[in-house]
Each structure stands twice: as C-alpha cells, then as structure tokens.
Amino acid sequence: QVQLVESGGGLVQPGGSLRLSCAASGSIFSIKAMGWYRQAPGKERELVATVTSDGIRNVADSVKGRFTISISRDTAKNTVYLQMNSLKPEDTAVYYCNADAVGSTVYHYWGQGTQVTVSP
C-alpha cells in the first residue's frame, strides 16, 4: 500500500506561481512512477506531468515550458513536486497526485486532490 498526501494548492493571479507537493509513504520501494493529473469542471482528468523511477519525464504540451516536475527520495518517503509558473486561468482545476506501483499487478494510487484556481 502507498499513501499519498498532497499540499500546495490555492488561489493565484494569472502569471503567478505555485508549487504542489505530494509525499508518498508506505511501500515506496514498489513505486515506478509518480506524477500529477488535473481535472477541470466538466472535463476529463488529464495528465500534467509524470516522472519515472529512472528519471524519465513526460510533460503535457499545454504546460511544457511553464511547469516542472521533480522528485526527491529518502528511506521513508518519496516526494514529487510540481512547480507551476506563468499560470493561466485555463490551468484552474483540481490537481491529483498519482503513484504507479508494481506488485502482483500494477497498482494506481491517487491523492485526495488539491484545488488550483487562477483568477484575477
């Protein structure tokens, strides 16, 4: 089992910045990738950025050049960060942390979600 705890959402003006954090604990040795997804009202959940345990990053075109994903590891937890710069109103959504772990099958874990609102 993997537990995910997110923090860092909030209200920001267009052009501003926010940093999201997600701490993973539990069976962190089984985690193969972590990342962020978002869901705006009336829309499907979409990938924002992911990073594998090998450091391979995948970033959505809509945020490329503005958002940066990074990860830190210690013996007790993995923490994935999403640095969001030059925020736009269309970035408004609930952001969800994700961890993909491998055991007898692939397990997908989700955080509780954190609201990001970009508005004047």
Side-chain angles (χ1 to χ4, degrees):
Q1 288 278 354
V2 173
Q3 296 78 43
L4 301 174
V5 178
E6 303 162 352
S7 60
L11 173 64
V12 64
Q13 293 185 343
S17 298
L18 281 174
R19 189 170 88 149
L20 306 182
S21 301
C22 174
S25 59
S27 301
I28 60 173
F29 59 89
S30 65
I31 294 174
K32 299 305 179 185
M34 293 187 69
W36 293 93
Y37 291 70
R38 68 186 182 186
Q39 187 166 19
K43 294 188 176 182
E44 293 187 353
R45 191 173 296 188
E46 62 177 4
L47 180 147
V48 178
T50 60
V51 57
T52 71
S53 56
D54 297 328
I56 298 172
R57 289 166 171 77
N58 182 24
V59 180
D61 288 342
S62 59
V63 305
K64 203 166 287 185
R66 300 187 297 121
F67 291 12
T68 302
I69 189 168
S70 60
I71 192 166
S72 68
R73 300 183 181 89
D74 62 34
T75 55
K77 65 179 185 227
N78 292 351
T79 304
V80 65
Y81 303 94
L82 186 68
Q83 178 66 44
M84 305 185 292
N85 299 327
S86 302
L87 282 159
K88 305 175 181 180
E90 50 264 43
D91 295 318
T92 295
V94 178
Y95 284 68
Y96 295 92
C97 178
N98 164 264
D100 290 341
V102 175
S104 56
T105 183
V106 178
Y107 298 92
H108 305 287
Y109 296 96
W110 294 94
Q112 77 279 8
T114 185
Q115 177 70 46
V116 171
T117 302
V118 185
S119 179

